[in-house]
Amino acid sequence: MTRNLIFKAIDQTATPAEFDRLQDAIEQDHEVRAEYLRAVRLCESLGEIASGAFSVNSSKTDVPVRFAKQNESTHRSLAGGLKLSRFAIAATMLIAVGVATFWFGQQENSTTNVADKGEQTETIKESQIAGHATLRRSVDLKWTAGGNEYRDGDVLTNGSLQFEEGVAEIDFFCGATLIVEGPAALNIESDWSVEVTSGRLRANVPPAARGFIVRAAGSEIVDLGTEFALEVRAENARVEVIDGEVEIRGGEHNGNHLLTGQRQWLIGTETPESLNGLSTLDELRIRQENAASERFDTWQALSQKLRQDERLVAYFPIAENLAQRFVRNAAGTGDILDGKLVGPVERATGRFGPKSTGLAFGHPGARVRTRIDREFKAFTFACWVRIDSLEHVYNALFMSDGYETGESHWQIRNDGRLMFSVMVDDTQSVQTFSELEQREVETAGLARVYYSEPIWDISKSGQWFHLAAVYDPVGRRVVQYANGMQVGSEEIIDKFYIDTLRIGPAEIGNWGQPFRKTPWFSVRNLNGTIDELAVFDAALTTKEINTLFENGKPLGY
């Protein structure tokens, strides 16, 4: 479309409206600018060749520029470099050849163009996140009311970390690991230091993290390797070396070194209690696995109740599936809707740990196919998904083949926003401005994409999310959710209203046969894992979505 505008501008057939659209596109998109300049240079070259070939006298062949009379300022900005008056006749004679040559060149030299893009001097913005440590895993954490709350896998930045109950394993980026038992209050300062206000912990410091500092009771405990325990209370504080050596800096014990088995009271009076009972890494792992297993059993019982819901059209509780090449539809609609694994779909650990199963879609050919042939009056899609990265512009969750009237697409964009869309009329050809491409594009049909606010960035890589999208024609609204919380809500206006919905052939984690008649397909496979997906012929309420999240959430949420 933009190319047509460029050549219509060059051969002076563009309308004022078309010229304005081209002007806007050139101002907003460097790709359009580059394409415009290539076209201009091509025409100039053809004009010079033709001028020589036909001995055109420029002083006698000036052609009035019709468009300049219509919009002089726009013409100056766009066409100032064209010098049409000097080669207009020649260019007009050769324009058809020029256009063909240009298009041919575009097709033949696509590789070159890609290389050219690589040589551009644009600075690629590198992803950045802030943080000093990760909450690797936890068991039965009860966060202090009003304080920060985290989930397993979260990156921890500067600031307080406070919980009343439970055990947390914290990996600092320097390599040190703390196992902290609640109640506890800490202040994370950097990759290499933490202040402990209260609580009991075990610090494991490998050689790579030697020098890691724990501040407590007016002193600094500098680990010289390998493991020590610390207890901080209001009335006393003590440190005990389990293995290796620590140095105490500051306070009344400044400069003291403690070796394996030695202990020191930093403040307060001694008590006979020992720190030997602190959780070890292995003990925490076993405790966490047992708790996850119990959580899995609880979810299975709740899942049995869910599949009795008459509104449920398709239900794939992948978490409980064994190693077959299909995923069972557990809804009352029966095995005719079973999903078939296609391509390099890999079985992966589910959200409840090794006892449960997920499906990883990390390769372009990976997909699960199903077919749901019926009409719907509303849609609710819900799934549990672990997103490793959003490496494609569009990342599929659940999508109908093609994109035909009444069919839906549920995806995540590379900026972390959920996208839910329904094709309203696939017979229409619609021109619309593409936010992504920053230019006008022609779409195959009238459809509307409903976006959520961003729910994902790279700091959340590897975490599990419960996502849901509700298309409610009766309520005239599309609502989207992440982890039981509403993250998007838009009205369905008359232009995009449709109340007869369909799915047909569809895929989990990819987009099948988007163009129907060609082998080409857009790469939209999800780089992540799905371990439960449900489709309802109903618009579930916020309370019902929140119940799905609460019933299915893994440990650490």
Side-chain angles (χ1 to χ4, degrees):
M1 182 64 192
T2 304
R3 286 171 175 166
N4 289 337
L5 289 178
I6 290 172
F7 285 106
K8 288 177 76 173
I10 290 174
D11 69 14
Q12 306 173 52
T13 60
T15 66
E18 289 173 330
F19 219 96
D20 287 343
R21 278 166 35 208
L22 179 59
Q23 173 91 357
D24 291 341
I26 287 174
E27 290 176 354
Q28 296 173 8
D29 189 336
H30 70 90
E31 289 287 348
V32 177
R33 288 196 294 275
E35 189 164 349
Y36 173 75
L37 291 173
R38 286 196 294 269
V40 167
R41 293 190 189 105
L42 175 63
C43 288
E44 284 183 335
S45 299
L46 291 171
E48 291 170 2
I49 294 170
S51 295
F54 295 101
S55 300
V56 174
N57 185 333
S58 61
S59 65
K60 296 181 180 179
T61 56
D62 283 352
V63 177
V65 180
R66 173 174 54 82
F67 193 80
K69 295 178 180 178
Q70 297 168 336
N71 189 336
E72 289 186 9
S73 61
T74 304
H75 171 70
R76 280 196 298 272
S77 62
L78 269 175
L82 290 178
K83 302 176 183 177
L84 287 172
S85 61
R86 292 185 293 129
F87 63 86
I89 290 177
T92 300
M93 295 172 63
L94 293 173
I95 196 68
V97 177
V99 170
T101 304
F102 180 72
W103 279 98
F104 181 78
Q106 290 291 300
Q107 298 300 316
E108 290 296 310
N109 296 319
S110 59
T111 303
T112 303
N113 289 337
V114 171
D116 288 344
K117 290 179 182 177
E119 294 169 2
Q120 292 175 354
T121 57
E122 284 187 13
T123 301
I124 299 174
K125 188 175 181 180
E126 189 173 19
S127 298
Q128 292 183 326
I129 59 175
H132 302 298
T134 299
L135 178 60
R136 183 163 183 261
R137 58 188 165 192
S138 64
V139 178
D140 300 330
L141 277 190
K142 180 181 178 182
W143 296 98
T144 301
N148 297 323
E149 295 189 12
Y150 298 95
R151 296 192 173 103
D152 290 5
D154 275 346
V155 173
L156 307 176
T157 59
N158 296 58
S160 66
L161 198 70
Q162 192 168 351
F163 50 92
E164 304 301 321
E165 300 174 3
V167 184
E169 180 179 347
I170 303 169
D171 282 346
F172 282 77
F173 292 162
C174 69
T177 295
L178 301 186
I179 299 176
V180 186
E181 295 183 351
L186 297 81
N187 183 37
I188 295 177
E189 299 176 330
S190 73
D191 292 14
W192 290 86
S193 66
V194 61
E195 179 186 20
V196 179
T197 305
S198 65
R200 289 156 46 100
L201 64 83
R202 177 188 290 264
N204 184 281
V205 184
R210 192 166 295 162
F212 181 72
I213 296 174
V214 177
R215 306 181 200 280
S219 298
E220 293 183 351
I221 303 161
V222 183
D223 192 282
L224 304 178
T226 314
E227 195 169 29
F228 68 90
L230 175 71
E231 180 181 59
V232 180
R233 295 178 176 173
E235 64 277 11
N236 54 44
R238 56 176 168 163
V239 59
E240 181 175 324
V241 178
I242 299 170
D243 180 28
E245 180 180 3
V246 301
E247 178 186 0
I248 300 174
R249 296 176 183 168
E252 62 181 291
H253 304 291
N254 184 41
N256 286 0
H257 284 239
L258 302 178
L259 302 176
T260 301
Q262 294 182 320
R263 68 187 66 175
Q264 181 67 63
W265 290 86
L266 302 176
I267 60 172
T269 57
E270 296 188 14
T271 67
E273 301 169 9
S274 171
L275 291 175
N276 290 338
L278 279 171
S279 300
T280 66
L281 286 172
D282 284 342
E283 289 168 349
L284 178 59
R285 176 182 56 78
I286 294 171
R287 185 175 170 184
Q288 199 260 356
E289 288 177 356
N290 290 338
S293 180
E294 290 178 7
R295 187 82 191 96
F296 179 58
D297 294 340
T298 300
W299 167 78
Q300 283 189 306
L302 295 169
S303 172
Q304 291 295 328
K305 293 183 178 178
L306 175 62
R307 56 194 77 180
Q308 304 306 316
D309 191 326
E310 294 182 351
R311 302 171 299 174
L312 196 60
V313 175
Y315 180 45
F316 305 103
I318 300 165
E320 64 181 16
N321 271 231
L322 301 177
Q324 297 99 350
R325 290 296 291 171
F326 67 90
V327 290
R328 185 169 66 90
N329 169 39
T333 46
D335 57 10
I336 194 172
L337 301 187
D338 284 354
K340 175 71 169 62
L341 275 61
V342 177
V345 184
E346 298 176 357
R347 296 278 176 178
T349 299
R351 68 188 188 276
F352 301 108
K355 195 173 180 180
S356 64
T357 302
L359 296 177
F361 300 86
H363 302 279
R367 57 197 69 208
V368 174
R369 290 195 61 77
T370 185
R371 182 179 187 118
I372 305 175
D373 289 327
R374 58 176 289 182
E375 292 185 350
F376 300 80
K377 291 301 180 184
F379 274 144
T380 294
F381 294 134
C383 77
W384 275 97
V385 56
R386 190 192 73 199
I387 305 167
D388 295 332
S389 69
L390 297 178
E391 59 182 338
H392 311 306
V393 176
Y394 306 112
N395 304 270
L397 292 171
F398 185 73
M399 301 173 71
S400 294
D401 285 4
Y403 192 25
E404 292 154 12
T405 300
E407 295 181 349
S408 62
H409 281 176
W410 190 26
Q411 307 171 84
I412 311 173
R413 222 177 88 147
N414 60 353
D415 59 6
R417 290 188 292 169
L418 298 173
M419 301 171 59
F420 186 83
S421 60
V422 172
M423 175 59 72
V424 178
D425 183 358
D426 64 9
T427 66
Q428 295 191 36
S429 180
V430 179
Q431 292 182 353
T432 184
F433 181 78
S434 168
E435 182 184 352
L436 180 66
E437 301 182 34
Q438 286 294 300
R439 64 186 181 89
E440 194 169 16
V441 298
E442 184 171 335
T443 62
L446 178 65
R448 174 63 184 270
V449 181
Y450 301 90
Y451 293 98
S452 75
E453 61 187 64
I455 58 101
W456 190 93
D457 60 38
I458 194 64
S459 69
K460 298 178 177 60
S461 176
Q463 292 189 16
W464 289 98
F465 282 84
H466 183 259
L467 305 178
V470 177
Y471 186 86
D472 181 8
V474 174
R476 292 282 188 137
R477 189 151 290 276
V478 174
V479 187
Q480 301 189 72
Y481 300 86
N483 291 338
M485 304 294 291
Q486 192 177 114
V487 293
S489 178
E490 287 189 61
E491 179 186 3
I492 303 172
I493 63 175
D494 290 347
K495 180 179 179 181
F496 299 109
Y497 178 80
I498 181 169
D499 62 358
T500 301
L501 307 172
R502 298 179 179 84
I503 294 178
E507 291 189 347
I508 300 171
N510 215 322
W511 186 21
Q513 301 178 330
F515 308 122
R516 297 295 199 195
K517 297 180 180 179
T518 79
W520 300 100
F521 64 90
S522 299
V523 179
R524 295 190 181 185
N525 66 286
L526 176 73
N527 187 13
T529 304
I530 292 176
D531 79 356
E532 186 178 11
L533 190 144
V535 179
F536 295 83
D537 184 7
L540 269 61
T541 65
T542 295
K543 183 178 179 181
E544 289 174 315
I545 296 295
N546 187 258
T547 298
L548 290 177
F549 165 68
E550 291 292 337
N551 289 349
K553 66 182 182 183
L555 206 64
Y557 278 63

